[in-house]
Amino acid sequence: MNLHSEPIRLLAFLVGIIAFAALNAAYLVWLERKVAGHVQRRIGPKEVGPFGLLQPLVDGIKLMTKQVLIPDNIDPILFRLAPPLLLIPAVMSFVTIPFSETLVARDINLGLLMIFAFASINVLGILLGGWGSNNKYAVIAAARGVSQNVAYEIPMLITVITMVMITHTLNLNEIVRQQGGGIFNWYIFRWSANPLMLISFLIFFTCSLAETNRAPFDLGEAESELVAGYHTEYSGMGFGIFFMGEYANIVIGCSLATILFLGGWQCPFGLWPGVHWFLIKLYILIFTVILIRWTFPRTTIYGLLNLSWKVLIPFALFNLILTGAMIKIWPMIFP
Amino acid sequence: MTSLFSQEGLTGLIFLVLLGITGSGALVAVTAGRLIRSVAGLLLCLIGVAGIYYFLNSPFVALMQLLIYVGAVGVVIAFAVMLADPNPDKQPARGRNPLMGGLGFLTSGAVFAGLAFLGASTAWKRHMGPPTDSGMAAIGKSLLTTYSMVFELISIVLLVAIIGSLVLARAGREKI
């Protein structure tokens, strides 16, 4: 690759990433409404276009043409700052996601760490948005969202540390490359590294649900108690950007689960690895996330925090110790 | 005078922008009237510092700065602010005592002068070429060999902090 094509490549990836994030936000809303409809024995959106496929377009136009209401008595700077603060880190995280062996914007060595560094910023968007709205429901929702994020970041990071101990690298593409050659080389089935790999995956997946504020952990958006949650005062595209950020975060979380545990762009039977496998696994996970939202009731805030502090963190710590022991002791027994 | 569009010009510009972000964040943190804006300013300042680390070719430290300071410490500070009194009118007005301002200037001036004296009197070794390996492996090795004592001491401090917060949290409860 010569020097002249590098800026063009970066520009292409920039446009592609923004388009991917926006398209996902639009069509995941459509999928969400369709799944919700069928779960509740309705049809869901069907009027605009075949199967309602043009519905996201219409929704987008509606959101963009609506007046953005700025209430009095808010903090004008923080109120405007919050939606981009939620969206920008999520979009930036796409930079290191390897869609296939070559289709990755920046193949940096610290990719995994970078995603978590940016993921820890977006909770500030919720916090500042809720606080800046000067609305008691928004403040309660923001406090809930933050306590939830703090609680679930711990087991998630511990699980990721066990994965890093096994993979010896933070480069996402390298992690996927280690899982080549069939389904039993995926880390979720790599029982020689740690017999509880399946539990690691479950902890990671549960934490990513909670980190992205998805049901059954969407206490920050509990409509029945909090009007709408931390975005109560946002209208028009302010609300739209919050939504885009939320869906971008879901895509990031599911991508990470795919890359760390399900072999990323590797094929289950060792043939034709490529971007299609990544997308198939990614969308199966996203579909699971959506199905979970519409089939499980919302927990309480105490149930949520107890699950993290009393179940997930002890299990994650045990997993960490077990992995360390396996790494040190296994070669001694079977040299 | 180097051109802006040469390599030195651009790196200088990026450095100045990062310095500006850090400085303006610090100014907002000190001067803002509302506590939550001070927190936002502090976070902006820390993001600028992370940018400077990245500029100095240590991306690992930069990302750790984001993860720990902006993500964890910043969120905890903001959370503490939310639990505190939300009404900004009830905060004591600043500058009631004229002596306080003078003392503040004196103290900060002394600290600044001390640091400046240290910086000016140290014989800096000029490092040529790209920085040496400051990656994850090097940091991990030095933490567990050369600086293992410091590392353990910090973990004891953190343990004490955890136990202290548990004691404080326990005090208000009748049963678990």
Side-chain angles (χ1 to χ4, degrees), chain A residues 201-216:
Chain A
F201 174 71
L202 281 180
I203 293 175
F204 186 87
F205 193 63
T206 315
C207 292
S208 68
L209 277 183
E211 286 274 304
T212 51
N213 290 323
R214 288 291 295 190

Side-chain angles (χ1 to χ4, degrees), chain B residues 20 24 55 74 96 99 101-102 107 127 132 143 156 163 176:
Chain B
S24 57
F55 179 81
R96 268 182 312 181
L99 202 63
T107 319
H127 188 81
T132 47
L143 270 185
I156 289 175
I163 293 173
I176 298 176

Side-chain angles (χ1 to χ4, degrees), chain A:
Chain A
M1 188 178 294
N2 63 25
L3 198 70
H4 285 288
S5 73
E6 181 67 14
I8 299 170
R9 199 184 71 95
L10 280 183
L11 196 66
F13 267 108
L14 196 68
V15 174
I17 283 170
I18 292 173
F20 184 71
L23 261 180
N24 262 307
Y27 276 92
L28 289 181
V29 173
W30 173 83
L31 186 68
E32 181 110 54
R33 291 173 66 182
K34 270 287 180 196
V35 172
H38 284 283
V39 166
Q40 298 165 353
R41 303 200 69 182
R42 297 182 284 116
I43 301 176
K46 72 177 181 64
E47 290 294 333
V48 193
F51 308 106
L53 270 174
L54 296 180
Q55 186 75 43
L57 212 65
V58 185
D59 283 345
I61 292 171
K62 186 197 84 172
L63 280 177
M64 279 185 227
T65 49
K66 257 180 150 174
Q67 186 190 3
V68 179
L69 283 172
I70 307 282
D72 293 342
N73 300 327
I74 55 156
D75 193 320
I77 297 174
L78 297 183
F79 188 79
R80 288 180 177 84
L81 196 69
L85 209 55
L86 194 74
L87 181 62
I88 291 171
V91 173
M92 279 183 83
S93 300
F94 278 109
V95 168
T96 54
I97 298 271
F99 292 95
S100 79
E101 182 148 26
T102 48
L103 194 62
V104 48
R106 266 260 175 253
D107 195 5
I108 61 173
N109 277 329
L110 298 166
L112 191 59
L113 182 65
M114 182 183 149
I115 287 180
F116 281 100
F118 284 118
S120 66
I121 294 179
N122 69 27
V123 59
L124 286 171
I126 296 178
L127 189 90
L128 296 182
W131 183 268
S133 298
N134 195 16
N135 172 321
K136 59 184 168 190
Y137 299 114
V139 172
I140 294 171
R144 282 183 178 185
V146 174
S147 58
Q148 173 177 341
N149 262 281
V150 170
Y152 279 84
E153 201 153 298
I154 299 166
M156 194 173 201
L157 286 177
I158 293 174
T159 310
V160 168
I161 287 171
T162 56
M163 290 308 293
V164 172
M165 281 163 72
I166 295 166
T167 60
H168 295 293
T169 177
L170 289 170
N171 185 329
L172 293 173
N173 223 348
E174 184 58 39
I175 291 175
V176 176
R177 235 173 263 136
Q178 291 171 0
Q179 306 178 56
I183 191 166
F184 286 102
N185 279 337
W186 293 1
Y187 276 122
I188 189 171
F189 297 120
R190 198 71 78 78
W191 290 313
S192 58
N194 176 357
L196 297 179
M197 220 48 169
L198 208 61
I199 293 182
S200 290
F201 174 71
L202 281 180
I203 293 175
F204 186 87
F205 193 63
T206 315
C207 292
S208 68
L209 277 183
E211 286 274 304
T212 51
N213 290 323
R214 288 291 295 190
F217 307 118
D218 59 342
L219 287 153
E221 299 162 28
E223 303 89 356
S224 48
E225 314 157 26
L226 295 172
V227 188
Y230 51 84
H231 44 59
T232 302
E233 296 287 351
Y234 286 87
S235 57
M237 213 46 206
F239 172 74
I241 287 177
F242 264 124
F243 242 68
M244 275 176 74
E246 192 183 321
Y247 281 99
N249 277 328
I250 292 166
V251 176
I252 291 287
C254 290
S255 304
L256 265 188
T258 309
I259 290 163
L260 284 177
F261 293 98
L262 302 177
W265 38 262
Q266 301 281 7
C267 170
F269 34 84
L271 291 170
W272 312 297
V275 65
H276 45 282
W277 285 112
F278 181 81
L279 291 180
I280 289 171
K281 293 168 193 170
L282 173 65
Y283 284 111
I284 288 176
L285 275 186
I286 291 177
F287 184 78
T288 316
V289 168
I290 291 176
L291 203 64
I292 286 173
R293 169 163 178 188
W294 295 103
T295 43
F296 281 89
R298 185 178 290 140
T299 55
T300 60
I301 185 81
Y302 296 107
L304 172 94
L305 295 178
N306 278 343
L307 176 69
S308 170
W309 292 105
K310 292 185 180 170
V311 179
L312 293 182
I313 291 178
F315 267 100
L317 279 174
F318 176 72
N319 232 339
L320 181 72
I321 294 166
L322 184 72
T323 310
M326 292 283 283
I327 289 172
K328 277 292 167 199
I329 295 169
W330 209 247
M332 285 183 201
I333 305 172
F334 304 104

Side-chain angles (χ1 to χ4, degrees), chain B residues 112-125:
Chain B
F112 180 76
L115 287 176
F117 176 72
L118 260 183
S121 62
T122 309
W124 296 96
K125 272 184 246 166

